[in-house]
Amino acid sequence: MLPQPLRGAGVALLILTLSACGGTGSPSSPAAPTDTAGTISDTLAPQGVASPVTLTLGQPQQLTVTVGGRAPTAGQLVWTTSNAAVATVTQTGLVTPVGSGNATVRAALTSNAAAFIDFPLTVSGAITAPSPSPTPAPAPATGFAQQVLDLVNAARTQARTCGATPYAAAPALTLNAQLGQAAQGHAADMAAQNYFSHTSKDGRTAAQRIAAAGYAYRTWGENIAAGQATAAQVVAGWLTSEGHCKNIMNPAFKELGVGYAYTSTSTYKHYWVQDFGAR
C-alpha cells in the first residue's frame, strides 16, 4: 500500500586601586595636589604591579582600577597590552584572551604615563568553537529492521481497527532474511532511481521480487513509505493508514522483511519497505 567568542557573559571582576599620592600611597610618594573643588589628583605612584592573573581562552575578564578611591572618569586612564596576540584590552579595561601565552595589561594615567598599574596575565587553554550539530547518519538497515519489527509486534499485541475493519491482537512476527533481501533491494532501488512505487522500474511486482529472493510464499503483503526519518515515524504512519494497518495486523502473516535506504539527492531521501509473508 502507498502511504501518505564571547562565551558566557559572566565576566569576573578584578578590582585593584591606583592610590592617589598623599592618600594611602607609599610614604616615598610625593604629596598629592588637590584643587578647591575637591577633585582627586591624577598624579599616582609609579610602577604599581598587580598580582598575576590567569585567564582561559575565550573567557573575558573585566579589570577595574580606581583612582584615589573613585572610578576613573572617561579618558582618565589608557589601557594597553604588551602582546595583542595573547590578550586584547578595551579602554574600559575589558580583557579578552585570544592566544595562549603571557602578556601584561597596563592601566596608566592619560596625563602621566609614569603612573600605572601592570596586570601580569597568563592565558591558557584552547578556543573550542561549538561543534555544529551533525545530521545523524542513518543507522544500518539491519538496525532499522529490528526497530520496525519491535514496533510492529508491539502494535500486534493490541486489538485495533484499521479503517472500518476490526482486528484482534495477532501473534508476533519474526524476521526473515529472504523477505528482508526483497525489501532492502526495493528500498535501495527506489532511493537510487528516485521513484516511489510498488512496481520496480524494471516492471517487477512485489510478489516477483519476493519470489526472486527465494521466499516460497503462501501469502504475502507489502507496505512502502518515503520521507520518514525514523522507524517510529514510519510505523506510526502505517498504522494510521487503513491498507498499511491491515497488513500489519493481518494474522495470516508470520514473517517480516524490512528494507531501508537513504539518498540525500533523492526526492524523499528516506525509503522504507515492509514485506510480509507466510509459507
Side-chain angles (χ1 to χ4, degrees):
M1 294 292 297
L2 294 178
Q4 312 178 339
L6 193 65
R7 287 187 310 196
V11 177
L13 186 65
L14 179 59
I15 301 177
L16 292 182
T17 301
L18 279 174
S19 299
C21 299
T24 57
S26 65
S28 61
S29 300
T34 60
D35 62 24
T36 55
T39 56
I40 61 173
S41 170
D42 61 1
T43 302
L44 306 181
Q47 300 180 357
V49 179
S51 299
V53 179
T54 300
L55 303 179
T56 302
L57 279 172
Q59 295 181 334
Q61 179 129 348
Q62 178 68 50
L63 304 180
T64 300
V65 172
T66 61
V67 180
R70 301 181 188 179
T73 58
Q76 192 174 17
L77 295 177
V78 176
W79 291 86
T80 57
T81 177
S82 66
N83 191 343
V86 172
T88 61
V89 64
T90 68
Q91 290 308 304
T92 59
L94 179 64
V95 176
T96 301
V98 294
S100 297
N102 299 305
T104 298
V105 169
R106 173 172 294 184
L109 285 174
T110 303
S111 61
N112 181 6
F116 60 82
I117 283 183
D118 281 345
F119 294 84
L121 304 179
T122 299
V123 178
S124 61
I127 298 175
T128 53
S131 299
S133 299
T135 301
T142 53
F144 275 113
Q146 187 62 52
Q147 292 176 42
V148 170
L149 176 70
D150 292 343
L151 291 165
V152 165
N153 283 338
R156 284 168 69 95
T157 63
Q158 305 175 38
R160 69 183 61 242
T161 299
C162 300
T165 306
Y167 282 84
L173 302 175
T174 58
L175 287 178
N176 176 271
Q178 294 165 322
L179 289 174
Q181 178 183 338
Q184 183 60 37
H186 189 46
D189 189 54
M190 288 192 293
Q193 300 199 62
N194 196 21
Y195 72 98
F196 184 66
S197 173
H198 286 281
T199 303
S200 301
K201 283 280 191 176
D202 60 9
R204 289 186 303 162
T205 65
Q208 290 171 323
R209 292 190 297 270
I210 291 171
Y215 189 83
Y217 62 83
R218 176 171 50 83
T219 184
W220 65 270
E222 181 174 84
N223 287 345
I224 62 175
Q228 298 85 353
T230 67
Q233 290 174 354
V234 74
V235 173
W238 279 327
L239 287 171
T240 60
S241 171
E242 180 178 358
H244 301 92
C245 178
K246 287 180 176 180
N247 277 343
I248 289 174
M249 295 303 298
N250 190 338
F253 294 141
K254 308 299 181 185
E255 297 173 304
L256 177 67
V258 180
Y260 169 80
Y262 174 87
T263 303
S264 61
T265 56
S266 61
T267 300
Y268 300 107
K269 295 182 173 57
H270 306 270
Y271 294 83
W272 302 82
V273 178
Q274 282 182 315
D275 281 338
F276 301 85
R279 294 175 287 186

